[in-house]
């Protein structure tokens, strides 16, 4: 081997690790700035004399914008423009936050200017997050993805701990500083994306399948992940390997699989021959592009499980949080108790994210999924009897310690289940489901508290989690052919 060849191969091995670090910094800095500015934006609007209804309207419009724009931004990302979309959306967000900071620095900023800049930032952030979905699959080998996902989740949890404190401290110095910090973090994210060695373009579908083919003894529809530092799947009971569309097909011999060329497969977004013969119009093609991620989720049992579990649990945690807010407010506590609850929850979530890959490798992802889901039921019920901030903080801390254990496993499984050309669109479907449940949860919690008292949200959420745990156990048994 020539020295030049050896050097090229060594550089190729270093590139994924470098890209993972750059993407982590982009994700962590983005999350830190968003938390820092997000916690003080309502204070800024209220301090300028605007009503609470206006603050709520801004939050609602921002959420709706994310749900609407994410599927639109996911299409060009999956078509090969992921890196430019991420870079320019982060750049626009930085400029928009700089505009918010400039407006906040004045004595009486025009409301239209302030809200316009905030909405542009929210729109750009929604585009960035949609395009960023699936980036891990482009920069990390399959065996490393659970560890990478856990690191990204830990960065988010760390931002949840540090961001509000940073934003509050900067706001006390000058009300424009949190937004300056957010603009700087967006610029850092844009620079990290620009510096990525990978172009973030999806490989061909057949090449990806050849690289990410499940090892013998695992089922494509199982939830197994590879433990860090090992090359064997986690010990999850499974049937012999087979294609998702041919569950009864016998596994091919390793020698034959290695010798035979990979079969040519159609692009994941190509239309059937009958549809192509009809030459659908442009609108129909756009609809097919936007609906490709939803179609994949609808036909994949694993992705349906992930969407249902993630949307339900995130909706429950938001409803429980607002139930805690109502209870503590009724008890006469000030604003610091919820800060305590958030801090304890963020610290517990950070620990859970870091521990998730190792625990999944030791006890098995399927067993971890079912066990954690059942454990969430008594925790939610316990919140119905909680009174002080410390009891709420303890219960929420355990809740947030357990959630990332499953969240990291499910995110890693989504990357493995989704073809490269559909990563962003599938991520948009998941984000829309989670965002929808998170937007609906406060409304439901408020209605339940008004009609049945402050303990009612926890009781209702415990019932919802019990139904989810039973359903998860049944669906998991159907996927693997074994009982949990």
């Amino acid at each position: 081997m020539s020295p030049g060849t050896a050097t090229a191969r060594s550089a190729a091995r270093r590139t994924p690790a470098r890209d993972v670090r750059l993407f982590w910094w982009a994700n962590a800095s983005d999350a830190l700035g968003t938390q820092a500015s997000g916690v003080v934006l309502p204070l800024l609007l209220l301090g300028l004399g605007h009503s609470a209804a206006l603050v709520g309207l801004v939050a609602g419009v921002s959420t709706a914008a994310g749900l609407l724009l994410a599927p639109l931004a996911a299409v060009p990302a999956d078509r090969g423009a992921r890196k430019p979309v991420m870079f320019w959306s982060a750049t626009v967000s930085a400029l928009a936050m700089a505009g918010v900071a400039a407006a906040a620095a004045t004595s009486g900023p025009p409301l239209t200017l302030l809200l316009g800049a905030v909405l542009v930032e929210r729109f750009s952030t929604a585009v960035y997050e949609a395009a960023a979905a699936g980036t891990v699959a482009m920069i990390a080998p399959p065996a490393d993805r659970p560890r990478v996902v856990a690191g990204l989740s830990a960065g988010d949890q760390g931002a949840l701990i540090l961001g509000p404190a940073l934003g509050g401290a900067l706001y006390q110095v000058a009300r424009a500083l949190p937004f300056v910090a957010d603009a700087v973090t967006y610029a850092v994210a844009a620079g990290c994306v620009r510096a990525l060695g990978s172009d973030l373009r999806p490989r061909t579908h057949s090449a990806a399948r050849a690289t990410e083919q499940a090892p013998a003894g695992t089922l494509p529809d199982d939830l197994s992940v590879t433990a860090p530092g090992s090359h064997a799947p986690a010990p999850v009971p499974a049937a012999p390997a087979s294609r998702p569309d041919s569950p009864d097909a016998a596994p091919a011999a390793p020698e034959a699989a290695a010798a035979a060329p990979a079969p040519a497969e159609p692009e994941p977004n190509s239309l059937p021959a009958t549809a192509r013969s009809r030459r659908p119009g442009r609108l129909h093609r756009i609809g097919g592009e936007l609906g490709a991620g939803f179609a994949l989720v609808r036909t994949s049992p694993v992705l349906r499980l992930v969407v249902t579990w993630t949307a339900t649990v995130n909706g429950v945690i938001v409803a429980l949080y607002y139930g805690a807010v109502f209870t503590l407010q009724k008890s006469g506590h000030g604003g610091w108790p919820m800060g305590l609850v958030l801090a304890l929850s963020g610290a517990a979530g950070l620990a859970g994210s870091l521990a998730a890959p190792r625990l999944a490798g030791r006890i098995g992802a399927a067993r971890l999924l079912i066990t954690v889901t059942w454990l969430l039921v008594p925790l939610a019920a316990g919140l119905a009897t909680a009174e002080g901030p410390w009891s709420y903080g303890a219960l929420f801390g355990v809740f947030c310690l357990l959630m990332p254990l499953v969240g990291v496993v499910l995110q890693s499984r989504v990357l493995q289940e989704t073809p490269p050309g559909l990563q962003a669109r599938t991520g948009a479907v998941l984000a829309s489901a989670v965002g929808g449940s998170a937007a609906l949860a406060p409304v439901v919690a408020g209605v339940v508290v008004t009609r049945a008292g402050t303990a009612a949200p926890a009781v209702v959420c415990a019932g919802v989690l019990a139904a989810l745990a039973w359903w998860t156990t049944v669906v998991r048994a159907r996927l693997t052919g074994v009982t949990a």
Side-chain angles (χ1 to χ4, degrees), residues 78 82 138 202 268-269 289 292-293 296 418-428:
D78 279 340
R82 177 176 276 102
M138 309 298 161
N269 304 313
E289 292 277 2
L296 178 64
T418 307
L422 285 176
Q423 289 282 346
R425 276 169 285 185
T426 303

Side-chain angles (χ1 to χ4, degrees), residues 34-48:
T34 299
Q35 291 292 339
S37 65
V39 74
V40 300
L41 179 61
L43 300 178
L44 174 65
L45 294 175
L46 293 173
L48 292 173

Side-chain angles (χ1 to χ4, degrees), residues 2 21 39 57 69 146 161 207 211 217 251 255 262 289 349 380 396 407 420 425 440 443 445 457:
S2 65
R21 288 194 298 270
V39 74
L57 178 62
L69 288 178
I161 300 172
T211 302
E255 296 81 5
E289 292 277 2
F396 268 101
R425 276 169 285 185
L440 183 63
V443 179

Side-chain angles (χ1 to χ4, degrees), residues 140-148 211-212 225-232 357 412 416:
D144 291 342
R145 289 174 191 171
R147 177 182 58 82
V148 174
T211 302
E212 302 178 18
V225 297
T226 304
S230 68
H231 299 284
S412 303
Q416 184 180 355

Side-chain angles (χ1 to χ4, degrees), residues 14-36:
R14 290 194 302 268
T15 298
R18 176 179 177 273
D19 282 353
V20 167
R21 288 194 298 270
L22 286 170
F23 185 59
W24 187 91
W25 279 109
N27 183 78
S29 61
D30 178 18
L32 180 64
T34 299
Q35 291 292 339

Side-chain angles (χ1 to χ4, degrees), residues 234-346:
V236 181
S242 60
R243 288 176 56 100
D245 55 345
S246 303
D248 299 326
E255 296 81 5
E265 297 190 19
E267 289 295 324
N269 304 313
S270 60
L271 296 172
T274 54
R276 289 198 306 269
S277 64
R278 291 195 294 266
R279 301 183 67 83
R282 183 177 182 181
L283 184 61
H284 183 80
R285 291 196 301 271
I286 293 176
E289 292 277 2
L290 295 176
F294 176 77
L296 178 64
V297 172
R298 182 174 55 84
T299 56
S300 169
V302 171
L303 294 180
R304 289 201 304 270
L305 171 64
V306 173
V307 170
T308 303
W309 195 95
T310 307
T312 302
V313 172
N314 277 274
V316 164
I317 192 65
V318 172
L320 291 174
Y321 172 78
Y322 276 89
V325 170
F326 299 145
T327 302
L328 293 173
Q329 184 183 29
K330 186 177 180 180
S331 302
H333 293 88
W336 74 266
M338 289 316 301
L340 174 65
V341 171
L342 288 175
L344 292 175
S345 301

